[in-house]
Amino acid sequence: MTTVPGTVLVVEDEPSIADVLTIALRFHGFEVMCAATVRDALALAESTRPDAALLDVMLPDGDGRALGRELRARRPEVALVFLTARDAPAEIVGALGFGDDYITKPFNIDEVVARVQAVLRRVRPADVLPQRPPLRYGDLELDETTYTVRRAGRSVELTPTEYALLRFLMRNGGRIVPKEQLLRHVWQYEHAPPESTVVETYVSYLRRKLDALGPPVITTRRGVGYGLA
């Protein structure tokens, strides 16, 4: 029996784009559901509970980012990948604020499939990892079985990508992890463009959440990478 790699909710109001995405994702073994509006997407998500959502930012009855927030509120573990206009950097910043990845239009369909696969590997690491005791570093505790994080005994709500980033840093203890290594192991990027700031962006988000509960815990080695203090 073939194992289905996951269920993806595609929310795109342009029929030709939605068809291409659906065909490609199904070819790679995904179950795919399609919606063209925020309203239909919420109804589908409620009845099917997708593992990932591929969301156009501009929809006829609302904003794809607002839809992503609602999906994440209903199911914190759902992975969010946004489709954005190439000339709209504000959309990219807004999407990365709580999502897991973004893809600019026009896009390469193979890249879309690869990005969805990479995001789901981050969201569902227990599919390939045996159960293990929680990771601990200082007052941080990360449970790889329940996908929960606590600092000084208080729960920290993280997106799947923030969780994956913290998990990798904790597995490396106090070692400084080069940016290139983070891109490979957390984002599954083998050849990220040198101007990519995705690591810096997510370190900033993670710092904001962790530092609210104690002294700064992530240290920066300028020009090299990041580690835990």
Side-chain angles (χ1 to χ4, degrees):
M1 179 181 295
T2 301
T3 301
V4 176
T7 300
V8 180
L9 171 62
V10 174
V11 187
E12 169 60 62
D13 64 316
E14 179 60 47
S16 60
I17 296 178
D19 287 346
V20 168
L21 292 170
T22 299
I23 291 169
L25 289 166
R26 285 178 176 163
F27 178 80
H28 285 84
F30 289 97
E31 291 185 4
V32 183
M33 305 167 297
C34 284
T37 65
V38 171
R39 180 178 178 179
D40 290 346
L42 289 173
L44 274 175
E46 191 67 28
S47 61
T48 58
R49 298 178 64 82
D51 299 296
L54 189 58
L55 309 174
D56 188 9
V57 168
M58 299 182 64
L59 296 168
D61 62 339
D63 188 316
R65 291 164 297 186
L67 171 59
R69 289 189 181 93
E70 180 63 26
L71 293 174
R72 178 62 55 75
R74 296 185 181 190
R75 192 179 180 206
E77 67 272 22
V78 67
L80 302 177
V81 180
F82 291 94
L83 298 173
T84 71
R86 182 179 296 277
D87 59 349
E91 291 181 1
I92 294 174
V93 173
L96 280 179
F98 62 93
D100 302 293
D101 207 345
Y102 71 90
I103 300 168
T104 56
K105 295 180 178 180
F107 52 75
N108 178 289
I109 191 61
D110 291 331
E111 179 185 2
V112 174
V113 173
R115 295 283 191 94
V116 172
Q117 291 170 330
V119 164
L120 284 174
R121 283 196 293 270
R122 300 200 293 270
V123 175
R124 303 184 304 176
D127 289 349
V128 296
L129 292 175
Q131 289 190 354
R132 59 182 67 190
L135 296 174
R136 291 185 173 85
Y137 190 89
D139 60 358
L140 287 172
E141 179 182 295
L142 183 148
D143 192 317
E144 296 181 279
T145 302
T146 61
Y147 306 105
T148 56
V149 174
R150 303 178 71 84
R151 184 172 193 195
R154 298 172 63 185
S155 178
V156 184
E157 296 297 327
L158 301 180
T159 68
T161 299
E162 292 166 349
Y163 172 92
L165 174 59
L166 179 61
R167 181 181 62 188
F168 195 73
L169 291 175
M170 291 181 70
R171 284 179 176 173
N172 283 275
R175 188 173 73 86
I176 296 294
V177 182
K179 176 181 174 180
E180 293 75 14
Q181 191 173 350
L182 290 171
L183 285 168
R184 284 198 305 272
H185 290 275
V186 178
W187 280 269
Q188 316 295 324
Y189 292 171
E190 287 297 332
H191 304 288
E195 67 274 11
S196 173
T197 61
V198 66
V199 175
E200 291 84 350
T201 299
Y202 272 94
V203 166
S204 174
Y205 295 147
L206 190 56
R207 274 189 173 129
R208 191 178 309 156
K209 294 181 178 182
L210 296 178
D211 293 358
L213 301 176
V217 67
I218 299 177
T219 184
T220 302
R221 182 72 59 81
R222 192 169 300 278
V224 180
Y226 302 89
L228 296 179

